[in-house]
């Protein structure tokens, strides 16, 4: 990447990095915070200036970082004339806003937050104008919506601020979604998401049958962002934001993003009838409507907001014309609008700040009290009105000139007349801003005594109006950047000449009519205002609120109907949907012919099958008797283990049978505290419905299983079979897969199991601290208790069995690598052996003899497993690579030592710890419920009696 | 054999789903247990059925083996589904002890101010 490319990347990243600073620097004071915000912005601006000469010469600077090439998404940026113009505006005005906000924000406002949001927004905007990839552009586009939401709603305590922010987010966010669709279509047409490619494929795009949908979707995004009719209503409501935000978002950046997008896409999309009629018409309507509403707004910022809407309409219309001269005018007006509108917003902010009101009807006569503010405001407003010698005049003349020879639906008058009316209204509201605020008699009822603000506050607008005058008097100074930007928009090589005097043209006459008409209109403002207020007008906010309410109500109805809190309903919907999808998949593609035959069924298996079916049906019909149902579930589990054993899965059979035992014990323990029967409460209709769903799902799954059982597949298992002994050092392939090939999966699974154990333990503690504890204490469980809870025979047998069970467990563990067995099964077997002690000899007796806490055991297991994996790292091998060796130690037979064994030990410990912790937690509840504790193994101790007799 | 296995899977699924749709916690837990059986067998069966071909490598010459991979997956699935059942049992037990009811459906709470607003 070239040096220029690197600089470009840094520019794009700087604001985001800088956003981290203000939050920290606010601790060093407000000035330090403002400076910390200004530094990254100024730095980026300086770098931009360094790049500017090359871009003005017509070069395009590019930078690319691969991000997700599979999706066609790369972090690529480019800087051409248009990008330079907008980036300069974003950074330049950003710098002024940072200065202005330092003095505008009061001590109560969290300034660090403000500057962080501001820099985030700045970064997002820069991203939009610099992106060379439309997917990346979309990401930044959404980022502007989000960060502007934070900025507009900055004053969280104001309901208007929150509502305005929400509305802005809803409207621009919805537009952004539409634009995503449009951009994806565009990318599909061209076959590339690179903007540079797309801009060169204009003919291909316009010829495509997908052109119109893409155009409409993209324009929806641009129109919502740029507040074009009928989406214009959000912008005035966003005025609840602090004025620096309004000045930044609504003069230079956010709303211009839509205009930028239209300008950017101009070579790809413009030039068709569809483009012309949609864009021009919407722009024209917005321009006139915005100007009309602005004239009758009494709130200074609302007036400026609608005037912004109107000017955005003007820009949209110019871009809609589709001619090169119009594009030049649009680019020039973007610059001019930025200078005077940002200055005006800041002026309005100063007036608000000093007089504590923005209501024009309560203002007037400020000329003498705030002379500097007056001068700034007047120059900016005259420029907005389009008075000669100010820059607004120049671009407005160019606009009128373009409008004067535009045909609209066969009529040569429609556009010029409407444009003149728009200009006329614009003159009227601009003059109103000057006369009703600054002229007239000095009043004595301002809410606060006004005077000019400190230098820091008026410096920024003063600089802007200086630009207004300089460009207005010597427009050729702006020629360079306008040419570069216009060339980038049109893709042509233009050499526009910006000058004040064009001779007596139709545009000049239109301008004269507009200025005179506007002045006359203002003199009639008072009566007109009365008429306007008497007229019924659609209130956009009310409509929007009703619309949102309706959508929310509809969404709530849908979720209330589908998600009513009953799990049975979710599951029913889920099951039906899954079966439906399966059916669609089956009926749309069909099946290939079977390739396998049926295996024979020995009589034992047939018996097992009958047992399983009968038991399942019995569980369903008899589930009201919970104990009985549990016994039946045990039968099912045993039949399945038998099936596994027969179908060449000895490991599964072992696991199933031990898990089965533990599960039943667990359920029995839980059932101790629950009702022993389920009431028959389901109505017949519900049963029928559930039955149909269940049979449908069961039938579907059975058919699916049968279908794939009859067909062969390609499997990756041959690799495992071939490498199990050579690579993993074990002949039990299932175990080698668990501890070696897919050891990482197993590692995750034991962690999950450990977490489940801890969750149960935690829930037990939470329960015993809550209201459930009282209920437990007050319930009498003695009915369920056996008279002889620790029968002699059982105690003796379990004691004898304990060492045997442990030896069996160890044996299963040790042989696991080569024969059926392994850590999972061994853990379960030992757990069962321990459980037998608990059951036979009692909780307390067993607990007293416990050496290691079960939590520790879980942790130890996971740590051992992890350490085994890390050990491979230390030897420079990938995580969990195993090593093994065969050892011969007389007099024992040759045996194997493998690191996988160590891993299996981790598995073993975790399984044992988790299972024991689960059952332990349930027994804790039992003890809490008043279960008496025996420290002796038996309620009745025969030894004690014999002693007594001996003494006697 | 294939018919036996697939019909067993189907019956277990049907029974499991029917019980899952009941209105009390205990049958739902039982239903989940049945469904876990069904799913485990289903996954196991995706390796196709084989008799006397355990994936234990023979030291004495050539032999054919069944697919070991689904077995390894199902082995952990069995243990994990036990963990899941246990958590569910604890949740069900806790809910019963806290509310003195083992009903599944949540009755709308009349004291909820949000519901009043909506109504």
């Amino acid at each position: 990447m070239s040096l220029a490319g690197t600089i470009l990347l840094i520019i794009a990243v700087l604001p985001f990095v800088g956003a981290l600073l203000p939050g920290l620097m606010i601790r060093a004071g407000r000035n330090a915070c403002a400076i910390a915000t200004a530094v990254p912005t100024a730095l980026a601006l300086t770098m931009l200036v360094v790049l500017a000469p090359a871009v003005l010469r017509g070069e395009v600077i590019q930078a690319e970082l691969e991000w997700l090439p599979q999706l066609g998404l790369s972090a690529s940026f480019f800087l051409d004339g248009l990008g330079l113009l907008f980036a300069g505006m974003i950074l330049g005005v950003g710098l002024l806003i940072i200065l202005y906000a330092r003095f505008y924000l009061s001590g109560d406002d969290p300034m660090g937050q403000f500057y962080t949001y501001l820099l985030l927004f700045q970064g997002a905007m820069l991203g939009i104008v610099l992106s060379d990839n439309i997917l990346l552009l979309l990401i930044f586009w959404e980022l502007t919506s989000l960060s502007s939401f934070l900025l507009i709603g900055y004053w969280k305590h104001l309901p208007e601020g929150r509502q305005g922010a929400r509305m802005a987010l809803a409207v621009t966010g919805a537009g952004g979604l539409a634009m995503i669709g449009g951009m994806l279509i565009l990318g599909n047409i061209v076959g590339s998401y690179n903007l540079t490619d797309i801009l060169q494929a204009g003919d291909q795009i316009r010829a495509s049958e997908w052109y119109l949908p893409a155009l409409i979707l993209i324009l929806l995004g641009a129109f919502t962002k740029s507040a074009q009719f009928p989406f214009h209503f959000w912008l005035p409501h966003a005025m609840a934001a602090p004025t620096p935000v309004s000045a930044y978002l609504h003069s230079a950046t956010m709303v211009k993003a839509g205009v930028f997008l239209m300008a950017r896409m101009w070579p790809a999309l413009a030039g068709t009838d569809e483009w012309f009629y949609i864009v021009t018409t919407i722009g024209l309507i917005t321009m006139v409507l915005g100007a009309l509403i602005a004239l009758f707004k009494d709130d200074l910022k609302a007036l400026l907001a609608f005037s912004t809407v109107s000017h955005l309409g003007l820009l949209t219309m110019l871009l809609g014309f589709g001619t090169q001269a119009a594009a030049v005018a649009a680019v020039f007006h973007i610059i001019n609008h930025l200078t005077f509108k940002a200055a005006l917003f800041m002026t309005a902010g100063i007036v608000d700040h000093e007089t504590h009101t923005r209501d024009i009807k309560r203002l007037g006569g400020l000329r003498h009290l705030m002379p500097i503010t007056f001068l700034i405001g007047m120059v900016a407003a005259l420029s907005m009105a389009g008075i000669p010698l100010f820059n607004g005049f120049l671009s407005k003349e160019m606009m009128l000139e373009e409008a004067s020879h535009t045909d609209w639906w066969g009529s040569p008058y429609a556009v010029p007349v409407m444009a003149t009316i728009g200009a006329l209204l614009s003159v009227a509201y601009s003059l109103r801003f000057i006369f009703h605020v600054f002229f007239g008699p000095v009043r004595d009822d301002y809410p606060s005594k006004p005077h000019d603000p400190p230098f820091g506050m008026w410096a920024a607008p003063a600089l802007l109006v200086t630009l207004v005058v300089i460009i207005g008097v010597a427009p050729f100074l702006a020629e360079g950047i306008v040419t570069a930007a216009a060339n980038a928009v049109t893709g042509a090589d233009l050499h526009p000449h910006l000058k004040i005097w064009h001779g007596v043209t139709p545009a000049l006459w239109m301008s004269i009519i507009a200025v005179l008409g506007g002045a006359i209109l203002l003199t009639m403002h008072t009566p007109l205002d009365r008429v306007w207020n008497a007229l019924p007008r659609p209130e956009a906010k009310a409509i929007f609120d009703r619309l949102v309410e309706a959508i929310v109500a509809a969404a709530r109805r849908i979720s209330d109907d589908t998600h009513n809190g009953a799990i049975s309903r979710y599951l029913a919907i889920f099951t039906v949907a899954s079966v439906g999808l399966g059916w669609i998949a089956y009926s749309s593609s069909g099946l290939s012919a079977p390739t396998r035959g049926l295996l024979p069924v020995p009589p034992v298996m047939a018996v097992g099958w009958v047992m399983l079916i009968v038991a399942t049906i019995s569980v369903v019909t008899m589930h009201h008797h919970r104990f009985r149902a549990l016994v039946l579930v045990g039968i099912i589990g045993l039949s399945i283990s038998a099936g596994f054993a027969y179908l060449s899965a000895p490991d599964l059979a072992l696991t199933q049978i031990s898990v089965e035992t533990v599960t039943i014990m667990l359920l029995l323990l839980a059932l101790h505290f629950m009702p022993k029967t389920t009431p028959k409460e389901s109505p017949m209709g519900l049963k029928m419905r559930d039955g149909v769903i269940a049979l449908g799902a069961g039938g579907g799954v059975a058919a699916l299983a049968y279908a794939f059982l009859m067909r062969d597949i390609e499997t990756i298992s041959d690799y495992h079979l071939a490498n199990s002994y050579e690579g993993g050092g074990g002949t039990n392939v299932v175990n080698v897969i668990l501890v070696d090939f897919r050891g990482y999966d197993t590692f995750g699974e034991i962690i999950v199991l450990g977490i489940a154990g801890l969750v149960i333990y935690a829930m037990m503690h939470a329960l015993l601290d809550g209201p459930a504890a009282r209920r437990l204490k007050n319930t009498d469980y003695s009915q369920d208790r056996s008279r002889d809870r620790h029968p002699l025979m059982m105690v003796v047998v379990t004691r004898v069995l304990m060492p045997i069970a442990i030896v069996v467990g160890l044996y299963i563990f040790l042989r696991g690598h080569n024969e059926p067995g392994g850590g999972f099964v061994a853990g379960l077997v030992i757990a069962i052996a321990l459980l037998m002690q608990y059951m036979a000899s009692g909780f307390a007796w067993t607990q007293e003899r416990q050496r290691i806490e079960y939590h520790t055991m879980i942790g130890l297991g996971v740590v051992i497993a992890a350490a085994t994996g890390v050990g491979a790292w230390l030897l420079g091998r990938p995580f969990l690579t195993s090593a093994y060796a065969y050892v011969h130690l007389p007099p024992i037979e040759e045996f194997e030592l493998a690191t996988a064994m160590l891993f299996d030990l981790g598995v073993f410990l975790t399984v044992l710890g988790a299972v024991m912790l689960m059952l332990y937690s349930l027994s804790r509840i039992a003890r809490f419920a008043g279960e008496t504790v025996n420290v002796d193994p038996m309620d009745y101790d025969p030894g004690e009696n014999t002693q007594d007799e001996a003494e006697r | 054999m294939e018919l036996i296995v697939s019909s067993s899977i189907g019956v277990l699924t049907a029974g499991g789903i029917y019980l899952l749709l009941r209105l009390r916690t205990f049958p739902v837990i039982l239903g989940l247990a049945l469904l876990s059986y069904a799913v485990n067998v289903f996954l196991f069966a995706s390796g196709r059925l084989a008799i006397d071909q355990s994936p234990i490598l023979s030291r004495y010459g050539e032999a054919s083996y069944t697919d070991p991979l689904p077995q390894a997956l199902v082995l952990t699935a069995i243990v994990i589904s036990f963990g899941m059942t246990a958590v569910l049992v604890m949740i069900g037990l806790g809910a019963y002890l806290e509310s003195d009811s083992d009903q599944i459906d949540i009755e709308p709470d009349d004291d909820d101010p949000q519901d009043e607003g909506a109504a």
Side-chain angles (χ1 to χ4, degrees):
Chain A
M1 207 183 301
S2 66
L3 175 67
T6 315
I7 294 180
L8 186 61
L9 270 183
I10 296 174
I11 294 177
V13 172
L14 256 178
F16 290 110
V17 177
L20 301 172
L21 291 178
L24 296 172
M25 292 306 287
I26 188 66
R27 288 163 203 277
R30 290 157 65 85
N31 282 330
C33 181
I35 291 170
T37 317
V39 165
T41 313
L43 222 58
L45 190 61
T46 317
M47 292 183 186
L48 196 70
V49 171
V50 171
L51 297 182
V55 177
L56 289 179
R57 277 198 306 275
E59 288 177 29
V60 176
I61 296 166
Q62 284 182 311
E64 183 165 358
L65 284 181
E66 292 260 299
W67 187 5
L68 291 173
Q70 298 88 340
L71 287 179
L73 180 58
S74 63
S76 50
F77 298 95
F78 79 128
L79 185 71
D80 62 354
L82 188 66
L84 178 70
L85 170 66
F86 271 90
M89 282 174 14
I90 292 161
L91 292 170
V93 180
L95 209 52
L96 296 180
I97 294 291
I98 292 168
L99 170 68
Y100 179 79
R102 159 65 189 85
F103 293 94
Y104 181 89
L105 291 179
S106 79
D108 303 336
D109 297 324
M111 189 182 257
Q113 264 180 36
F114 181 85
Y115 280 134
T116 299
Y117 297 162
L118 197 74
L119 282 183
L120 279 181
F121 177 78
Q122 195 182 69
M125 276 307 299
L126 266 186
I128 291 184
V129 302
L130 297 181
S131 293
D132 189 13
N133 183 299
I134 51 175
L135 298 178
L136 188 67
L137 190 149
L138 287 170
I139 292 172
F140 285 118
W141 187 272
E142 296 295 323
L143 267 182
T144 59
S145 292
L146 292 175
S147 52
S148 68
F149 171 80
L150 294 172
L151 280 172
I152 296 171
Y154 173 68
W155 279 330
K156 304 180 200 52
H157 54 280
L158 295 181
E160 298 87 25
R162 299 197 300 267
Q163 287 162 11
R166 220 158 43 217
M167 190 190 270
L169 183 67
V171 176
T172 59
L177 288 181
M179 205 173 85
I180 291 177
M183 289 293 194
L184 290 180
I185 297 177
L186 212 56
N188 257 346
I189 297 176
V190 180
S192 158
Y193 289 107
N194 263 350
L195 205 47
T196 335
D197 299 337
I198 289 174
L199 295 186
Q200 274 159 11
D203 293 328
Q204 189 192 344
I205 293 168
R206 284 186 288 269
S208 160
E209 55 174 351
W210 285 95
Y211 168 70
L212 193 58
L215 177 69
I216 290 174
L217 288 172
I218 292 175
L219 285 180
L220 268 177
F223 286 171
T224 48
K225 204 76 157 185
S226 280
Q228 296 297 297
F229 176 84
F231 308 111
H232 60 285
F233 56 88
W234 72 262
L235 202 153
H237 287 285
M239 289 298 143
T243 303
V245 174
S246 312
Y248 196 36
L249 264 60
H250 305 136
S251 66
T253 52
M254 166 115 158
V255 293
K256 289 269 172 67
V259 174
F260 168 81
L261 192 83
M262 285 187 270
R264 180 96 284 173
M265 290 292 164
W266 201 85
L269 297 174
T272 59
D273 277 355
E274 293 95 329
W275 170 273
F276 173 77
Y277 281 109
I278 298 175
V279 180
T280 305
T281 313
I282 294 285
L284 201 58
I285 294 173
T286 312
M287 177 170 96
V288 175
L289 195 72
L292 185 66
I293 301 174
L295 182 59
F296 296 103
K297 281 289 169 191
D298 288 331
D299 180 356
L300 269 183
K301 277 176 79 179
L303 184 152
L304 292 177
F306 277 106
S307 118
T308 303
V309 169
S310 166
H311 279 273
L312 291 168
L314 186 158
L315 289 171
T316 306
M317 177 183 79
L318 280 174
L319 291 171
F321 286 164
T323 62
Q324 294 178 342
V328 174
V331 169
F332 192 31
H333 193 69
I334 288 172
I335 302 175
N336 297 337
H337 177 249
L338 156 81
T339 51
F340 65 70
K341 188 53 65 66
L344 281 171
F345 267 118
M346 292 188 202
T347 310
I350 292 174
V351 170
D352 185 19
H353 200 260
E354 297 301 324
T355 65
H356 291 204
T357 180
R358 298 194 313 239
D359 190 344
I360 297 179
K361 292 215 165 93
R362 300 184 62 184
L363 293 167
L366 293 181
R367 176 170 45 127
H368 301 294
L369 299 170
M370 310 171 73
I372 301 171
T373 315
F374 162 62
L375 189 68
I376 295 170
M378 186 182 70
V379 172
L382 287 178
S383 177
M384 178 160 77
I387 306 295
L389 295 185
F390 301 114
N391 61 359
F393 167 74
L394 302 165
S395 44
K396 184 171 284 189
E397 279 286 289
M398 290 162 78
M399 180 275 285
L400 291 172
E401 172 70 27
E402 284 308 306
S404 69
H405 40 76
T406 301
D407 274 5
W408 193 87
W409 215 264
S411 151
Y413 297 111
V415 175
V417 169
M418 292 294 280
T420 312
I421 292 176
L424 187 151
L425 289 167
S426 160
V427 170
Y429 68 67
S430 301
L431 294 179
R432 180 162 181 245
F433 184 91
I434 300 173
F435 283 94
H436 288 191
V437 175
F438 294 105
F439 282 86
V442 174
R443 301 166 64 150
D444 48 13
D445 61 343
Y446 306 116
S448 171
K449 189 87 185 103
H451 53 78
D452 269 323
F455 170 73
M457 202 156 174
W458 61 259
L463 186 69
L464 287 168
V465 293
T466 315
L467 282 177
V468 165
V469 178
I470 291 176
I471 299 176
V473 176
F476 55 85
L477 289 176
E479 241 168 50
I481 179 70
V482 170
T483 309
N487 285 348
V489 172
T490 56
D493 190 18
L494 304 175
H495 297 283
H497 292 288
L498 307 173
K499 49 191 180 185
I500 302 177
W501 182 250
H502 290 269
V504 182
T505 54
L508 187 66
W509 286 114
M510 288 154 79
S511 221
I512 292 172
I513 294 170
V515 173
L516 293 179
I520 295 167
L521 196 62
L522 186 64
T523 59
M524 305 191 304
H525 184 268
T526 317
L528 283 177
D529 195 36
R530 225 169 286 134
V531 175
W532 173 263
N533 283 328
L535 285 176
R537 294 186 302 276
E539 185 56 52
K541 186 173 186 314
I543 298 172
F544 176 78
D545 286 346
R546 268 206 301 283
L547 197 68
V548 169
E549 245 168 56
I551 294 172
V552 168
R556 180 166 290 158
R557 223 174 7 257
I558 292 174
S559 36
D560 279 356
D561 286 351
T562 49
H563 287 214
N564 62 346
I567 192 174
S568 41
R569 182 171 294 198
Y570 307 166
L571 290 173
I573 292 170
F574 171 76
T575 311
V576 170
S578 310
V579 174
L581 283 176
W583 175 253
I584 290 170
Y586 169 72
S587 54
S588 61
S589 58
L591 278 173
S592 58
T595 55
R596 290 172 71 101
L598 289 171
L599 291 174
V601 182
V604 182
M605 279 294 117
V607 172
W609 177 70
V610 172
M611 261 168 65
L612 185 134
I613 303 285
V614 172
T616 311
I617 294 172
S618 311
V619 169
V620 170
T621 51
M622 291 201 267
H623 74 270
H624 298 280
H625 298 276
R626 293 179 173 184
F627 274 120
R628 219 176 282 170
L630 261 185
V631 173
L632 290 165
V633 168
I635 294 178
I636 297 172
L638 292 180
S639 316
I640 289 175
S641 339
F644 282 144
Y646 179 69
L647 292 169
S648 321
D651 279 290
L652 288 189
L654 274 174
T655 316
Q656 179 69 53
I657 208 165
S658 39
V659 164
E660 196 53 46
T661 317
V662 186
T663 310
I664 298 292
M665 280 187 202
L666 179 96
L667 285 171
L668 273 174
L669 270 173
L671 199 51
H672 179 55
F673 306 102
M674 295 175 89
K676 309 294 175 287
T677 54
T678 306
K680 301 199 174 188
E681 57 190 350
S682 299
M684 201 56 207
L686 190 70
K687 284 188 188 169
M688 294 286 285
R689 188 204 72 176
D690 294 347
V692 169
I693 293 175
L695 287 177
V701 172
L704 177 63
Y706 184 70
F708 71 61
L709 279 175
M710 296 309 289
R711 284 159 184 82
D712 285 304
I713 39 151
E714 293 267 315
T715 127
I716 57 169
S717 299
D718 293 338
Y719 172 83
H720 295 134
L721 287 167
N723 287 288
S724 173
Y725 188 70
E726 304 276 305
T731 52
N732 180 359
V733 186
V734 174
N735 186 270
V736 174
I737 290 175
L738 282 176
V739 299
D740 194 333
F741 293 127
R742 306 201 57 84
Y744 205 65
D745 285 0
T746 313
F747 184 54
E749 270 148 10
I750 59 172
I751 290 178
V752 171
L753 194 68
I755 290 173
L758 294 175
V759 162
I760 288 176
Y761 181 74
M763 282 202 294
M764 179 269 290
H765 264 288
L767 266 183
L768 294 187
D769 288 341
R774 269 195 310 282
R775 201 186 306 281
L776 273 172
K777 283 240 187 271
N778 295 333
T779 316
D780 181 19
Y781 290 103
S782 58
Q783 293 287 312
D784 304 336
R785 268 177 214 145
S786 151
R787 291 279 178 81
D788 185 8
R789 286 183 299 149
H790 306 290
L792 177 63
M793 285 301 285
M794 196 162 158
V795 173
V796 173
V797 168
T798 52
R799 297 274 179 85
V800 173
L801 269 180
M802 182 72 184
I804 300 174
I806 289 181
V807 169
V808 169
L810 281 180
Y811 172 67
I812 287 179
F813 174 76
L814 288 175
R815 76 202 281 256
H817 216 44
N818 291 319
E819 297 290 324
F824 276 107
V825 185
L828 289 163
V829 167
I830 303 243
I832 293 170
L834 288 173
L835 282 172
M836 288 194 317
Q837 304 303 313
Y838 275 95
M839 288 193 333
S841 304
F843 186 86
W845 182 87
T846 318
Q847 198 66 23
E848 235 173 42
R849 285 155 183 79
Q850 184 196 344
R851 295 283 181 270
I852 312 174
E853 286 289 328
Y854 297 127
H855 320 68
T856 323
M857 213 181 271
I858 295 176
L860 214 59
V862 173
V863 168
I864 289 179
T868 317
V870 173
W873 261 345
L874 295 181
L875 297 175
R877 312 283 295 279
F879 190 61
L880 280 176
T881 310
S882 70
Y884 67 94
Y886 283 89
V887 185
H888 188 73
L889 259 187
I892 317 172
E893 202 187 340
E894 184 187 64
F895 66 98
E896 183 200 356
L897 275 180
T899 57
M901 199 81 115
L902 212 55
F903 181 78
D904 220 10
L905 178 67
V907 173
F908 164 79
L909 285 176
T910 312
V911 170
L912 179 59
V915 172
M916 290 311 292
L917 193 60
M918 289 169 185
L919 293 154
Y920 161 80
S921 301
L922 277 168
S923 342
R924 264 298 304 268
I925 296 180
R927 245 180 103 179
F928 192 86
E931 192 87 36
T932 49
V933 172
N934 59 320
V935 184
D936 296 321
M938 285 164 266
D939 287 350
Y940 161 78
D941 188 346
E944 202 175 308
N945 279 0
T946 43
Q947 252 178 13
D948 287 353
E949 274 165 28
E951 278 170 21
R952 207 173 287 158
Chain B
M1 200 68 210
E2 276 78 2
L3 267 174
I4 283 190
V5 172
S6 49
S7 62
S8 304
I9 295 173
V11 170
L12 284 170
T13 309
I17 286 179
Y18 181 80
L19 288 178
L20 269 185
L21 298 178
R22 295 305 89 209
L23 305 174
R24 300 279 171 160
T25 45
F26 200 77
V28 171
I29 295 168
L30 287 183
L32 195 74
L34 292 191
L35 205 58
S36 305
Y37 290 143
V39 171
N40 288 339
V41 176
F42 185 88
L43 288 179
F44 164 73
S46 69
R48 309 303 184 261
L49 305 183
I51 297 166
D52 288 339
Q53 296 179 15
S54 306
I56 312 289
L57 298 182
S58 159
R59 296 177 188 220
Y60 316 103
E62 286 292 302
S64 64
Y65 307 104
T66 184
D67 194 342
L69 193 59
Q71 294 195 16
L73 298 181
V74 171
L75 198 152
T76 50
I78 292 173
V79 180
I80 293 276
S81 60
F82 161 71
M84 189 181 63
T85 309
V87 172
L88 199 68
V89 165
M90 197 67 196
I91 292 175
L93 181 60
Y96 171 69
L97 290 176
E98 294 263 334
S99 66
D100 201 20
S101 155
D102 62 348
Q103 276 178 323
I104 295 274
D105 296 19
I106 296 169
E107 296 290 325
D109 196 348
D110 292 335
D111 302 333
D112 196 347
Q114 276 192 325
D115 277 4
E116 276 172 31

